[in-house]
Amino acid sequence: MASSSNPEIARVFFPSYPMFQLYKDGRAERLRQIVTVPPSDDPKTGVRSKDAPVPPLSSARIFLPKTSDPTAKLPLLIYIHGGAFCIESPFSPTYHNYLTSLVAKANVIAVSVQYRKAPEHNLPAAYDDAWDAINWIASHIERNGPEPWLNENADFDKVFLAGDSAGANIAHNMIMKSAGDDQIRLKFSGLLLMNPFFMNDEPDELISFIFPSSKGPNDPRLNPACIASKELAAGLVCKRILICVAEKDFLRERGVSYYETVKKSGWNGVIEMVEIEGEVHVFYLFKPDCEKAAELMDRVSSFLNL
């Protein structure tokens, strides 16, 4: 959209929540400040965190809970953050604090995955980076990978893939991709989708811009409803799926549709959906101390420990 005060601006994504703007000469300018916090030993929970490079182009933040047994093998959570494929990171205060709390509550070791963002790096770059991260994590299965915490503490018989919003979309796609790759050695116990982003039949202005090679609503990476039931059922190579939606989330119906699509597909796992009444998109990230966020944290923790 053009601005009368600055005629060089062609479009803003989005005026209601500005992430970046495009100029008529093709330049893109970010509109939100990037804020990060360093890894740390959290004095309240005892959770430790550290950063690690993920070849060839990415990185991750790893979280280890306080435990009385340093050799204990813990469920492994691979978490992919949201942010419309454009903003946020594992190193932001929002996601650092959320993963710290979740790791402490669920007593899991977590790898929070960084990926390249649009508009500098359009999709499918985020999918590629997430897949590289999963392969990097899998390199620790024989206990001789580059990251000691994964070698020593990850239970590779209990691996969960999770994400919120756009990150939930990426998590779903990583499960599907692993089904068709005989080289990946990770076996997934569960898939956790928090307020997931999927397309419906309507055009999406942002997706059209940041994923120009996609087929839009007919792209199976964006809209699982367009995948043949047999293919979807075969691709979900995990035992359980938990979908979390919020009553006032603008993406609520997308999550419900995913739940119904999987239920009808003939998939032989267990899928559940929990809906939080009266709440909006990813409310638990911005109101972590509210009662409903605590209830959702309990539900997620239970899922990771079944």
Side-chain angles (χ1 to χ4, degrees), residues 84-214:
F85 304 104
C86 298
I87 59 174
E88 283 293 350
S89 82
F91 320 119
S92 73
T94 297
Y95 282 100
H96 177 86
N97 293 338
Y98 179 68
L99 266 296
T100 296
S101 297
L102 179 56
V103 163
K105 178 69 177 179
N107 197 39
V108 299
I109 183 171
V111 179
S112 185
V113 175
Q114 172 70 309
Y115 54 87
R116 287 171 293 167
K117 311 295 190 302
E120 296 86 357
H121 304 281
N122 286 337
L123 290 168
Y127 297 135
D128 295 339
D129 291 350
W131 185 244
D132 287 338
I134 287 173
N135 279 276
W136 177 80
I137 292 166
S139 73
H140 297 79
I141 289 177
E142 301 298 331
R143 309 293 175 185
N144 59 359
E147 175 45 55
W149 284 2
L150 293 177
N151 290 332
E152 297 165 9
N153 297 106
D155 184 346
F156 289 101
D157 291 323
K158 297 179 180 178
V159 182
F160 294 84
L161 193 51
D164 65 272
S165 196
N169 173 284
I170 298 172
H172 160 81
N173 278 284
M174 295 305 99
I175 285 277
M176 297 293 293
K177 186 174 177 66
S178 67
D181 192 314
D182 294 334
Q183 301 302 312
I184 189 72
R185 294 182 295 163
L186 284 182
K187 305 300 181 185
F188 296 104
S189 297
L191 175 63
L192 171 64
L193 305 179
M194 311 281 286
N195 299 167
F197 166 79
F198 295 111
M199 287 192 73
N200 53 21
D201 293 333
E202 301 173 4
D204 186 300
E205 184 181 17
L206 177 63
I207 290 297
S208 296
F209 180 74
I210 67 172
F211 200 177
S213 63
S214 80

Side-chain angles (χ1 to χ4, degrees), residues 45 81 120 206 236:
T45 63
H81 69 83
E120 296 86 357
L206 177 63
L236 291 171

Side-chain angles (χ1 to χ4, degrees), residues 11 33-34 38 44 108 156 209 222 236 248 262 295:
R11 184 183 299 175
Q33 182 181 5
I34 298 174
K44 182 179 179 180
V108 299
F156 289 101
F209 180 74
L222 299 170
L236 291 171
K248 296 183 179 180
V262 174
E295 292 173 355

Side-chain angles (χ1 to χ4, degrees), residues 4-298:
S4 58
S5 60
N6 189 343
E8 293 184 348
I9 297 175
R11 184 183 299 175
V12 176
F13 291 98
F14 288 100
S16 60
Y17 190 84
M19 295 185 295
F20 64 92
Q21 62 190 14
L22 302 177
Y23 290 88
K24 290 184 177 180
D25 63 6
R27 290 179 297 124
E29 178 186 16
R30 289 192 170 274
L31 299 175
R32 309 192 77 81
Q33 182 181 5
I34 298 174
V35 180
T36 62
V37 294
S40 61
D41 292 355
D42 184 63
K44 182 179 179 180
T45 63
V47 171
R48 302 170 64 193
S49 58
K50 67 192 305 189
D51 294 341
V54 176
L57 297 170
S58 194
S59 59
R61 179 159 291 180
I62 308 172
F63 297 81
L64 184 68
K66 183 178 181 180
T67 175
S68 58
D69 181 1
T71 65
K73 300 298 184 283
L74 306 172
L76 171 60
L77 172 65
I78 303 171
Y79 194 90
I80 306 174
H81 69 83
F85 304 104
C86 298
I87 59 174
E88 283 293 350
S89 82
F91 320 119
S92 73
T94 297
Y95 282 100
H96 177 86
N97 293 338
Y98 179 68
L99 266 296
T100 296
S101 297
L102 179 56
V103 163
K105 178 69 177 179
N107 197 39
V108 299
I109 183 171
V111 179
S112 185
V113 175
Q114 172 70 309
Y115 54 87
R116 287 171 293 167
K117 311 295 190 302
E120 296 86 357
H121 304 281
N122 286 337
L123 290 168
Y127 297 135
D128 295 339
D129 291 350
W131 185 244
D132 287 338
I134 287 173
N135 279 276
W136 177 80
I137 292 166
S139 73
H140 297 79
I141 289 177
E142 301 298 331
R143 309 293 175 185
N144 59 359
E147 175 45 55
W149 284 2
L150 293 177
N151 290 332
E152 297 165 9
N153 297 106
D155 184 346
F156 289 101
D157 291 323
K158 297 179 180 178
V159 182
F160 294 84
L161 193 51
D164 65 272
S165 196
N169 173 284
I170 298 172
H172 160 81
N173 278 284
M174 295 305 99
I175 285 277
M176 297 293 293
K177 186 174 177 66
S178 67
D181 192 314
D182 294 334
Q183 301 302 312
I184 189 72
R185 294 182 295 163
L186 284 182
K187 305 300 181 185
F188 296 104
S189 297
L191 175 63
L192 171 64
L193 305 179
M194 311 281 286
N195 299 167
F197 166 79
F198 295 111
M199 287 192 73
N200 53 21
D201 293 333
E202 301 173 4
D204 186 300
E205 184 181 17
L206 177 63
I207 290 297
S208 296
F209 180 74
I210 67 172
F211 200 177
S213 63
S214 80
K215 300 176 183 177
N218 296 314
D219 193 313
R221 292 166 293 186
L222 299 170
N223 185 7
C226 72
I227 304 174
S229 293
K230 185 176 180 180
E231 181 183 349
L232 179 62
L236 291 171
V237 287
C238 59
K239 301 173 184 176
R240 293 179 289 118
I241 299 175
L242 176 63
I243 303 170
C244 303
V245 300
E247 181 187 13
K248 296 183 179 180
D249 183 2
F250 66 102
L251 293 178
R252 176 191 176 277
E253 298 306 320
R254 317 283 180 94
V256 173
S257 176
Y258 181 92
Y259 171 77
E260 294 173 345
T261 297
V262 174
K263 288 279 284 187
K264 295 174 183 177
S265 72
W267 179 62
N268 62 2
V270 177
I271 184 168
E272 298 177 273
M273 183 176 69
V274 58
E275 179 170 2
I276 307 301
E277 295 182 358
E279 291 296 349
V280 299
H281 192 61
V282 296
F283 74 96
Y284 51 88
L285 294 177
F286 305 110
K287 301 189 297 180
D289 297 324
C290 74
E291 182 178 351
K292 290 181 179 178
E295 292 173 355
L296 183 58
M297 179 72 78
D298 287 342

